[in-house]
Amino acid sequence: RATEAHARMARGFTAWMADGIIEPVASPDTLATVFRALVVGLEMQNRIHPGAMDIDTVTAALASVLNVEVAGVEVPSTHRRTTAPI
């Protein structure tokens, strides 16, 4: 099941790159790995310390993996961001 989810996510990133929604900052497979790892880590952090991160912080962290800007959310990244909606 995890392999299928990873493949679906990588295909989605491939499509977003082809459509210009996200920049190819890494391979779709790498983005899928990093994105899933961050989601799992954030979920574990929420179990350990519920409410420690607000939705804007989590959104900014996830957006920074994709190198995109989220309207109204400060993304802590040194990389150039796109203005693509997510």
Side-chain angles (χ1 to χ4, degrees), residues 10-34:
R11 283 193 306 271
F13 288 141
T14 298
W16 284 2
M17 287 177 187
D19 292 344
I21 295 170
I22 61 173
E23 294 181 34
V25 295
S27 73
D29 187 62
T30 298
L31 283 177
T33 299
V34 171

Side-chain angles (χ1 to χ4, degrees), residues 4-5 12 16-17 19 21 27 34-35 44-45 47-48 52 55 57 60:
E4 292 172 14
W16 284 2
M17 287 177 187
D19 292 344
I21 295 170
S27 73
V34 171
F35 200 82
M44 292 303 296
Q45 178 61 35
R47 286 181 186 219
I48 294 166
I55 190 68
T57 301

Side-chain angles (χ1 to χ4, degrees), residues 40-66:
V40 169
L42 289 168
E43 192 273 333
M44 292 303 296
Q45 178 61 35
N46 190 57
R47 286 181 186 219
I48 294 166
H49 191 194
M53 295 178 287
D54 60 64
I55 190 68
D56 286 344
T57 301
V58 172
T59 301
L62 295 171
S64 69
V65 171
L66 301 178

